[in-house]
Amino acid sequence: MQDVVSVNDESGDTRRTTHLRERVRASAPTLAEWMLAAAACGLLVAAFPDFDWWPLAWVGFVPLIVGVVRRARVLTAFWLGWAAGAAFFYASCYW
């Protein structure tokens, strides 16, 4: 753990932290994946009673599933699911 936390070791080498940064960036969702999560949220909110577009409930999760399956990484799936779920919760709390 100390090797990952320290920026410079005795030789001044920063390879470990650079490798960690690359892994975090590689698992971060892309803009297209964020938009798919937002689309899933919009479809699911539109399926609520005030809008009365209930058939959208059957296809509401499809954009989120496509975004998660595009790059099968656990951290990416977590962030996309968390963001879509939180946005859906706050958007549907009006009633």
Side-chain angles (χ1 to χ4, degrees):
M1 184 69 183
Q2 183 180 6
D3 294 333
V4 175
V5 174
S6 66
V7 175
N8 293 323
D9 56 2
E10 299 83 40
S11 64
D13 190 16
T14 59
R15 286 181 299 191
R16 289 189 179 111
T17 56
T18 304
H19 178 66
L20 181 64
R21 262 189 238 134
E22 289 172 3
R23 285 182 52 202
V24 169
R25 285 184 185 152
S27 65
T30 62
L31 181 61
E33 292 166 343
W34 285 117
M35 298 315 292
L36 286 169
C41 172
L43 288 172
L44 290 172
V45 168
F48 266 57
D50 281 353
F51 298 105
D52 200 29
W53 294 344
W54 60 268
L56 291 178
W58 293 102
V59 295
F61 280 108
V62 172
L64 181 62
I65 292 171
V66 168
V68 167
V69 172
R70 244 175 102 188
R71 289 187 312 154
R73 292 185 178 252
V74 175
L75 199 57
T76 303
F78 169 77
W79 283 117
L80 289 175
W82 180 82
F88 170 72
F89 173 74
Y90 290 117
S92 63
C93 279
Y94 65 91
W95 69 285

